[in-house]
Amino acid sequence: MGRCLTLAGTRHTEGAVTVRRDFAESAGCRFDLVIGREESFGAAREQLTRGGSVLLHGPAGIGKSTVLRTLAAEYARTAHTVLRCSATESESHLPFLALADLLGQVLDEVSDALPAAQRTALESALTGRGESTLQRDGLALRLAVLSALRALAAAGPVLVVADDLQWLDPASAELLGFAARRLGDTPVRLLCAARTEGPETEGAAYDRHLRASPPDTRAVRLGPLTRAQVSALLDERGYSGLPRSTVRDIHRTSGGNPLFALELGRALAESPTPPRPGEPLPVPTSLRALVLTRLEMLSDDARRTLLVASAGARPTPALLRAAGRENSEAETAQAAALGLLATDPEGPAVRFAHPLISAALYAEAPAPERRAAHAALSTAASDPIERARHLALSTTGTDPEVAARLAGAAALARDRGAPSVAASLGLLAARHTPADGAPGPDERRLTAAEDAITAGEPDLARDIAREVLTRAGAPGERVRAWMVVIEAAGQAIGEVDAVFPQALADAGDDPRLLALVHYQLAWRSLVVQGDFAQGREEAAHAARLAARAGDRRTELLAMALQAQAETLMGHPDAPATIRRALEEPQDPQVACHHNGAGSSRFRWLVMSDRLAEARTTATTLLREARRRGMAESEVHYLRFLSETELHSGHCGRALELSRESLTLARDAGIGEGAGAMQAALAEAAGGDVERALALAQEAVRRAEEDGDAVYLSRALAALGHASLVAGDARAAVRALRRVRELEAGAGITDPARGRWQGDLAEALVRTGEPAEAQDVIEVTRAHALRLGRESVLAVLDRAEAQVRAARGEHRSVVTRLTSARERLAGLGYGLEEARAAFTLAELHAGRPGRAPGPAPYDEAARLFRRCRALPWLRQVEEAVAARAAGPPPPAPAAVPDGLASLAPMERQVAALVMEGATNREIAARLFVSVKTVEATLTRVYRKLGIRSRVDIVRLAAGRRTGANE
């Protein structure tokens, strides 16, 4: 028999909050609790049976905890170890709390299996001894959690049961997600539940929760019950015999939510006079009203104890006693008997049966009683952040000492990598800061807004800044608030154009304030106007102003932006500017910011073909951004890593990273266009081409809506690439021609910026336009030679080989392709190496006299498999199948004089038709898609004034007759 460690108690079911017997049976397995959930329960059971993990999700009260508890009871029998945690909203700001629930009681068991550094970090986080933070001990903690789960799994299967993932503290969520993504075949299953409210946010919400689960996790949505299911639930819980009309009213009023339905059924059962048919239910639809009715049954002392519990982040009997509630155990038992609390006999926590009960209790309490509860907790709580929060909520009016303690707690939360908590504490600090305080209340509000930006909460930041601007008179505060408004706009900076004149007016002639404004003006030049030269000048001007004012932070950001513009422009000063931006002294937060010098250096390394250094740089930056809780920077660095892995030919890893980046971006509402762009490239290389096209189109749409000239060209390049992989060369040409125009207009000359030129040349060959393809190659080669972009030069050689093959110039093609492949392999561009091998295979396969079969493609297939480039591998398979369909057609006869007006590709296609070749055979021979052949024939018909392939054959027959005569 396996053992079960219930570390944070199986919570009371949402679907039966008032049924007292549930508490007594909480440790048992009640399959009848899943009424109306047969399909969902079956899907989850099937997933768990085959060793997978499950995420249950749906709105509050929908029955997730019921299904979770029932499944946990069933599968705990086969698990050697069961770990449980169940978070609440009030405790979600406390770092490592859920981790302590999961691993606290097995720490001694796994400690010996952990390396010293991991053991120290984990013990510090779980016990509260020391100052462990994600910022300082992030890697050690992540590895420690992973190692601990592996150590437990070595003794037998592990089941991790986590309820209310939406309230999981960010630190624990990050650690659990890190481990879950790396468990692989380790016998650890996760059974989780999360609240997702409303169809418009549900998808994004459960995507976010999936990050804390293994990759093979199955998401199971719990929806509302039907009227028949509500009736069965009421009958099972003892509320039988209700008229059909009443059941219909209950179903309508509850919206199919089992929690609300049962509460309405209970109220009806307890009502002395049931409603007559047609009359409304004798209770309001709000659960809060039902809760308050039952709260009246509590004694005054029990109600005060529950108020303290509702105010606390993590109420326990010990905490309640420390807060002055000496008879808390008896009083909480009374509340549990009324169905208000779900106490856990195996754990210390005191939990409300539903969060709404706690909220209703707290909201209805008189203000003096609420303040008294917080005052008691301000000394009873152990965490300094929690003590400061309670002190603030127990204090009325302004108090400089309270404000200072809150500001200190905000700084501590910031250091712990919890900027969202820092923002909320900062707002509390501002509320308690006297108007004449130093710093003043608005200054503290702006600090909170900046924390909100860091946390990926731009809407909150924007609201705070707008509020400050309604009354702030000091130029420094006004300019700072304008900067928050601009930052909150993200890539849609064009939407806040009206801000810039006001910010400049507020800045006056103060160089420090002017530096802030000109830094944002530099971004405007790049993003809105697509003018890299002007953006470079604005950034350089901002750096000079900041240096004069002694504002090192702004100076570093401005130099980094200048370096980024110079890098993308192919400006010769880029390396020197990057070196200046990396000089000491550095600002720690700027150093790992996605717009800092480290990011600029990464971009320069990638464009300079130094992929290994680029990967190391991005990995370091990502680690530091995660430690600091910098959500937007994390999104971008995941994307950077995906880009590096894609260049290196690690398509599976690139796909994983791009999906993670896009998920985070959508969660936070930041960087979604850039995330979709990179995800499109990764999908086209290693995933699903149709999804790649959809993502690329989304990226283009977002860039156009935001007026973002910087990402519009990159999104179009992704669309062109995805179209090429999908076999639609004409769509690829349309998209990539726009890229060429945009980059020329922006002054971008470095071909390593988007690396789209080879794709455009190849697409032009496929559409029968080799002259334009050659022009693209020659112009790009001049810039690549000037800048020393070796990988770009190799790709151009591959493209030129295709141009020459299309013209029938075969002699130098093999040598050029072989050289290109070898150079790409030496530089570490695995996917481009495989593409060169594929082009070489197509050339060999198309030569006269070659026997049908897959041999020419074997090496290309091997390289694509090594890269896990599935869409490309499918192209190889299609080429082999086309070749196996029959021997290649003979060499075309001399072209009739009537075809002289056709373009080279059109003449080749027409000549092969004259020899009787099918469209598929022509495509294989000319290294183009069947669609390209069809489009070329359409142009041939139009130019020659004919209607079909038969007419082309007649032309050939006429020519042969004339020759015989």
Side-chain angles (χ1 to χ4, degrees):
M1 291 290 292
R3 53 182 167 71
C4 178
L5 298 174
T6 307
L7 304 179
T10 301
R11 299 179 65 221
H12 185 40
T13 170
E14 295 173 329
V17 67
T18 60
V19 180
R20 302 177 192 178
R21 71 186 181 211
D22 285 350
F23 295 110
E25 296 174 359
S26 62
C29 180
R30 290 283 313 283
F31 293 100
D32 57 348
L33 295 178
V34 296
I35 290 174
R37 301 299 179 206
E38 293 80 4
E39 183 176 349
S40 300
F41 189 83
R45 173 188 277 173
E46 179 185 354
Q47 176 75 353
L48 289 169
T49 300
R50 61 171 176 252
S53 296
V54 171
L55 171 65
L56 305 168
H57 66 99
I62 205 66
K64 301 181 298 296
S65 294
T66 299
V67 176
L68 180 93
R69 186 175 66 182
T70 308
L71 285 166
E74 178 176 348
Y75 285 93
R77 301 168 183 168
T78 59
H80 185 270
T81 304
V82 178
L83 307 175
R84 299 179 187 268
C85 73
S86 185
T88 64
E89 182 177 11
S90 60
E91 66 193 24
S92 62
H93 66 285
L94 295 176
F96 308 125
L97 196 57
L99 185 67
D101 284 344
L102 287 171
L103 298 178
Q105 292 186 18
V106 296
L107 181 59
D108 292 340
E109 180 179 342
V110 301
S111 288
D112 291 341
L114 305 182
Q118 295 179 25
R119 181 170 59 251
T120 300
L122 187 60
E123 288 175 349
S124 180
L126 297 188
T127 63
R129 296 191 295 270
E131 291 293 331
S132 180
T133 68
L134 273 179
Q135 177 181 352
R136 182 169 57 197
D137 302 317
L139 181 59
L141 277 172
R142 288 175 173 85
L143 294 175
V145 173
L146 180 60
S147 299
L149 290 174
R150 285 173 172 166
L152 290 170
V158 176
L159 178 66
V160 178
V161 183
D163 202 358
D164 281 330
L165 280 186
Q166 73 275 4
W167 305 132
L168 213 64
D169 64 278
S172 296
E174 161 60 26
L175 295 171
L176 183 60
F178 176 90
R181 291 189 296 271
R182 290 161 177 81
L183 285 169
D185 295 331
T186 307
V188 177
R189 287 176 293 179
L190 269 68
L191 173 59
C192 306
R195 181 185 303 176
T196 51
E197 298 286 356
E200 66 282 353
T201 60
E202 189 169 89
Y206 88 74
D207 279 347
R208 180 174 69 252
H209 300 313
L210 281 173
R211 295 200 308 273
S213 304
D216 66 342
T217 297
R218 179 169 183 174
V220 177
R221 180 183 179 276
L222 301 183
L225 301 180
T226 66
R227 188 170 67 185
Q229 290 167 343
V230 166
S231 178
L233 180 64
L234 292 168
D235 287 343
E236 191 276 333
R237 299 304 172 86
Y239 309 127
S240 57
L242 293 172
R244 182 174 297 182
S245 61
T246 302
V247 173
R248 184 182 63 243
D249 289 343
I250 290 176
H251 178 256
R252 183 182 66 251
T253 304
S254 69
N257 185 299
L259 170 64
F260 296 165
L262 288 171
E263 288 298 323
L264 290 168
R266 173 186 290 277
L268 283 168
E270 294 174 350
S271 175
T273 55
R276 291 191 296 268
E279 288 186 347
L281 298 177
V283 293
T285 59
S286 168
L287 177 64
R288 173 179 171 181
L290 294 175
V291 170
L292 295 178
T293 299
R294 288 159 51 209
L295 284 172
E296 293 174 357
M297 302 173 66
L298 289 172
S299 66
D300 290 343
D301 284 341
R303 185 167 180 148
R304 291 191 185 97
T305 295
L306 259 64
L307 176 60
V308 173
S310 71
R314 181 173 171 73
T316 64
L319 178 65
L320 294 175
R321 286 193 298 271
R325 309 308 302 167
E326 296 178 357
N327 297 319
S328 59
E329 291 186 6
E331 291 157 355
T332 55
Q334 180 189 357
L338 291 171
L340 296 169
L341 288 182
T343 55
D344 176 16
E346 299 183 35
V350 175
R351 300 193 181 275
F352 285 89
H354 193 279
L356 290 176
I357 299 173
S358 173
L361 171 66
Y362 185 87
E364 286 299 307
E369 289 188 17
R370 291 202 299 266
R371 288 196 295 273
H374 286 297
L377 289 168
S378 69
T379 58
S382 59
D383 185 82
I385 293 176
E386 188 63 16
R387 288 198 302 270
R389 185 179 76 88
H390 287 303
L391 179 62
L393 295 173
S394 68
T395 305
T396 57
T398 59
D399 187 320
E401 182 180 348
V402 172
R405 284 187 60 180
L406 283 163
L412 178 59
R414 197 176 302 120
D415 290 341
R416 288 183 178 181
S420 181
V421 175
S424 64
L425 291 168
L427 289 174
L428 283 174
R431 186 187 306 169
H432 290 281
T433 300
D436 58 352
D442 281 341
E443 187 172 349
R444 282 182 164 146
R445 287 187 183 93
L446 290 171
T447 299
E450 290 159 354
D451 283 327
I453 288 285
T454 301
E457 301 177 32
D459 292 341
L460 173 61
R462 184 187 304 110
D463 291 344
I464 296 170
R466 294 289 188 188
E467 179 193 351
V468 169
L469 286 165
T470 61
R471 58 175 176 272
E477 289 182 353
R478 291 188 63 80
V479 171
R480 192 175 168 192
W482 290 127
M483 296 305 100
V484 170
V485 171
I486 294 170
E487 286 284 351
Q491 296 300 120
I493 192 172
E495 295 179 1
V496 293
D497 257 0
V499 165
F500 288 99
Q502 300 176 70
L504 283 170
D506 285 332
D509 58 1
D510 186 327
R512 182 180 64 84
L513 301 181
L514 284 170
L516 294 172
V517 181
H518 281 281
Y519 171 69
Q520 295 295 349
L521 281 169
W523 275 110
R524 182 184 179 279
S525 297
L526 296 175
V527 174
V528 178
Q529 297 174 300
D531 191 332
F532 277 64
Q534 182 179 334
R536 173 181 178 267
E537 290 302 321
E538 286 282 8
H541 182 46
R544 290 191 295 269
L545 287 168
R548 189 172 13 143
D551 181 357
R552 182 61 173 166
R553 183 179 189 277
T554 303
E555 181 187 10
L556 290 169
L557 284 169
M559 282 194 293
L561 181 54
Q562 178 187 345
Q564 184 172 340
E566 290 173 349
T567 299
L568 299 178
M569 293 169 64
H571 196 285
D573 290 349
T577 305
I578 291 173
R579 285 194 295 271
R580 282 177 29 235
L582 290 169
E583 290 175 355
E584 295 293 340
Q586 286 288 318
D587 181 299
Q589 191 145 348
V590 172
C592 65
H593 194 276
H594 59 279
N595 288 327
S599 178
S600 297
R601 182 171 183 269
F602 165 83
R603 179 59 50 205
W604 182 80
L605 288 169
V606 168
M607 294 172 66
S608 301
D609 298 328
R610 295 161 67 172
L611 297 182
E613 291 177 72
R615 181 184 294 106
T616 300
T617 298
T619 301
T620 301
L621 291 169
L622 174 62
R623 183 183 305 122
E624 187 63 19
R626 279 175 165 168
R627 287 178 178 176
R628 292 179 175 273
M630 300 168 69
E632 186 171 5
S633 294
E634 181 179 358
V635 167
H636 286 287
Y637 290 139
L638 283 167
R639 182 169 58 83
F640 287 3
L641 274 176
S642 173
E643 179 183 351
T644 308
E645 298 298 347
L646 199 56
H647 287 319
S648 302
H650 305 149
C651 298
R653 178 62 175 154
L655 190 59
E656 176 187 339
L657 288 164
S658 70
R659 287 173 176 173
E660 184 178 359
S661 175
L662 182 57
T663 299
L664 287 173
R666 286 178 169 160
D667 287 346
I670 49 178
E672 293 180 75
M677 177 271 298
Q678 182 58 37
L681 292 170
E683 290 283 354
D688 180 83
V689 178
E690 290 302 318
R691 178 167 170 76
L693 287 168
L695 286 166
Q697 289 160 355
E698 176 191 343
V700 171
R701 175 179 54 78
R702 287 184 179 276
E704 289 177 334
E705 290 174 352
D706 292 343
D708 183 353
V710 172
Y711 274 110
L712 177 57
S713 62
R714 297 205 65 186
L716 285 165
L719 179 58
H721 178 75
S723 298
L724 184 66
V725 177
D728 190 347
R730 291 203 167 280
V733 168
R734 285 195 300 271
L736 296 174
R737 277 177 175 160
R738 283 189 67 190
V739 178
R740 194 180 188 190
E741 294 169 4
L742 287 169
E743 292 202 350
I748 299 173
T749 60
D750 194 329
R753 188 240 181 180
R755 300 176 183 271
W756 48 266
Q757 297 84 356
D759 284 345
L760 176 55
E762 181 176 338
L764 287 166
V765 170
R766 293 188 184 185
T767 57
E769 299 168 271
E772 184 181 346
Q774 188 63 46
D775 178 66
V776 170
I777 291 167
E778 290 173 358
V779 171
T780 306
R781 182 176 283 134
H783 292 304
L785 286 169
R786 173 175 61 86
L787 297 167
R789 302 304 191 219
E790 293 298 327
S791 62
V792 174
L793 290 168
V795 169
L796 292 175
D797 281 351
R798 184 190 72 212
E800 189 166 25
Q802 292 170 311
V803 173
R804 294 191 178 191
R807 289 173 172 169
E809 303 169 11
H810 296 286
R811 290 191 176 182
S812 62
V813 171
V814 172
T815 302
R816 185 178 292 270
L817 277 173
T818 303
S819 172
R821 177 191 164 184
E822 290 173 352
R823 285 147 53 208
L824 289 166
L827 292 168
Y829 285 82
L831 184 57
E832 295 293 353
E833 176 197 358
R835 288 182 64 180
F838 186 26
T839 303
L840 190 60
E842 290 180 306
L843 177 68
H844 282 307
R847 283 188 170 183
R850 292 278 178 178
Y857 295 97
D858 287 347
E859 180 63 6
R862 182 186 71 81
L863 291 174
F864 282 134
R865 275 194 293 269
R866 185 183 69 183
C867 294
R868 289 182 61 189
L870 302 182
W872 288 103
L873 191 57
R874 282 192 286 273
Q875 287 196 30
V876 173
E877 292 168 352
E878 289 170 3
V880 171
R883 180 169 169 73
V895 178
D897 294 339
L899 305 188
S901 63
L902 300 179
M905 172 66 81
E906 294 166 350
R907 287 200 301 270
Q908 286 183 291
V909 170
L912 288 169
V913 169
M914 292 175 182
E915 298 299 327
T918 66
N919 286 0
R920 181 177 289 278
E921 289 168 345
I922 295 171
R925 178 71 181 275
L926 298 181
F927 324 126
V928 297
S929 68
V930 173
K931 287 184 179 179
T932 298
V933 174
E934 293 169 351
T936 304
L937 279 173
T938 300
R939 293 198 304 275
V940 169
Y941 300 157
R942 185 176 64 251
K943 289 183 178 182
L944 298 181
I946 60 179
R947 296 184 177 182
S948 69
R949 296 168 60 94
V950 174
D951 293 331
I952 297 179
V953 175
R954 285 173 181 163
L955 282 175
R959 182 182 182 282
R960 285 193 293 270
T961 301
N964 291 335
E965 292 175 353

